[in-house]
Amino acid sequence: MLTTHKENADMTLQDKVEQWRRETAELEPGVLIAWAWREFGNDVVLASSLGAEDQVLTHLIAEHAARIPVITLDTGRLFGETHDLLNETRRRYDVDLRVFFPDAGKVEEMVNEHGTNLFRESVDLRKKCCAVRKIQPLKRALDGKKAWITGLRRDQSLNRTAIDFVEWDAGNNLVKINPLAAWREEDVRDFLIRHDVPYNPLHDRGFPSIGCAPCTRAVEPDDDPRSGRWWWEPREQSECGIHIVNGKVTRRVPVLVE
């Protein structure tokens, strides 16, 4: 049964997700990004970690919907290579790239109370550092938006095998759009090479997952890609919290580019 204009106007974003899921099920990533701009306009944003998948999405946004803002977080503890990539991405793409910083007063208060490297003292203090430097700025970046675009892929973990191109993000009360949901790791790698997309050179030095410099190290080729993040903690604790919903980890893991 077709939905009337009045009924459609009364539907919430969450109500519309199933309809959008059906409409976008066969769309290629670039076409899906163009659809997101038509559907949400200024109320959709790409949240980029400057990882490999997000660099692919930035390239596709520049091609298909350059007015979609691309936001990224500068925690104050990033690698120099990550800052270089941010500048290179600005030069390469004519997109609205916005950098969000943590609240300076909250950082000062945290550091003055717990020290500069509090994240090594306990899991709770590390999570506090992540909350102040990452989670709170992201919430501010997403404030007022109706949808966000992510680089989640189905083959990244068993928890993600059922993700859709369009789904409801209950944790942020936003529509989540995953244009690369059906891509494999080799698809991401091939796209970067074929289109000469700038990516973080640390990927080629054994860093499959890149975050803050004090909390990230290189890993061996056969190691868990996440083993280089907060390696001093129990593995089940090693998440910052951005992609944990209802207790389940939904974090994307950047690929290693060969």
Side-chain angles (χ1 to χ4, degrees):
M1 179 181 297
L2 294 177
T3 303
T4 67
H5 179 75
K6 172 66 166 60
E7 289 171 332
N8 193 62
D10 291 340
M11 294 173 69
T12 67
L13 287 175
Q14 188 173 3
D15 292 333
K16 295 179 183 178
V17 165
E18 183 58 38
Q19 172 190 332
W20 287 331
R21 184 181 293 122
R22 293 193 300 269
E23 292 176 357
T24 61
E26 304 297 327
L27 298 185
E28 293 294 321
V31 180
L32 180 55
I33 285 171
W35 170 88
W37 172 251
R38 290 195 305 271
E39 191 67 45
F40 298 102
N42 292 322
D43 291 324
V44 63
V45 64
L46 167 64
S48 171
S49 68
L50 299 172
E53 284 90 352
D54 294 327
Q55 290 299 99
V56 169
L57 292 173
T58 298
H59 183 97
L60 290 172
I61 283 174
E63 286 189 336
H64 296 275
R67 294 175 65 186
I68 293 179
V70 178
I71 65 99
T72 191
L73 307 179
D74 187 339
T75 64
R77 305 299 298 268
L78 299 179
F79 284 96
E81 288 87 347
T82 304
H83 283 123
D84 291 342
L85 177 61
L86 175 60
N87 291 332
E88 185 178 359
T89 303
R90 282 189 184 278
R91 290 192 295 267
R92 173 72 178 274
Y93 298 112
D94 184 20
V95 297
D96 182 9
L97 181 55
R98 307 175 187 179
V99 182
F100 284 76
F101 293 84
D103 181 273
K106 292 180 179 178
V107 173
E108 289 178 359
E109 180 181 355
M110 176 181 68
V111 170
N112 286 330
E113 181 177 357
H114 300 289
T116 303
N117 292 334
L118 69 158
F119 42 81
R120 296 190 187 276
E121 301 299 322
S122 71
V123 172
D124 286 343
L125 284 177
R126 196 272 297 165
K127 290 182 177 180
K128 179 179 180 66
C129 190
C130 288
V132 170
R133 294 185 181 274
K134 298 173 70 174
I135 297 174
Q136 293 171 10
L138 178 63
K139 292 289 187 183
R140 181 159 43 88
L142 296 178
D143 185 43
K145 300 300 180 183
K146 294 180 179 178
W148 68 317
I149 299 170
T150 84
L152 292 174
R153 295 186 291 108
R154 292 171 185 155
D155 76 343
Q156 288 172 329
S157 75
L158 291 175
N159 289 334
R160 301 178 191 167
T161 56
I163 66 170
D164 285 302
F165 293 110
V166 178
E167 54 191 8
W168 180 247
D169 179 354
N172 291 297
N173 289 316
L174 294 171
V175 176
K176 180 180 281 189
I177 302 167
N178 309 306
L180 305 183
W183 279 30
R184 300 164 298 174
E185 181 177 328
E186 53 264 37
D187 296 324
V188 177
R189 182 189 304 117
D190 291 346
F191 188 97
L192 293 175
I193 295 171
R194 186 168 66 253
H195 296 277
D196 191 29
V197 177
Y199 66 87
N200 199 318
L202 292 174
H203 286 315
D204 295 336
R205 303 176 199 163
F207 289 78
S209 178
I210 303 168
C212 293
C215 301
T216 309
R217 67 176 181 180
V219 302
E220 295 298 323
D222 294 331
D223 287 347
D224 179 344
R226 296 291 297 171
S227 64
R229 303 292 297 278
W230 307 295
W231 60 90
W232 59 88
E233 294 181 353
R235 295 306 308 145
E236 66 272 12
Q237 296 289 343
S238 296
E239 292 291 337
C240 70
I242 286 179
H243 291 284
I244 296 179
V245 178
N246 295 329
K248 294 183 179 180
V249 175
T250 59
R251 170 179 292 280
R252 58 187 179 275
V253 179
V255 300
L256 174 63
V257 180
E258 295 179 347

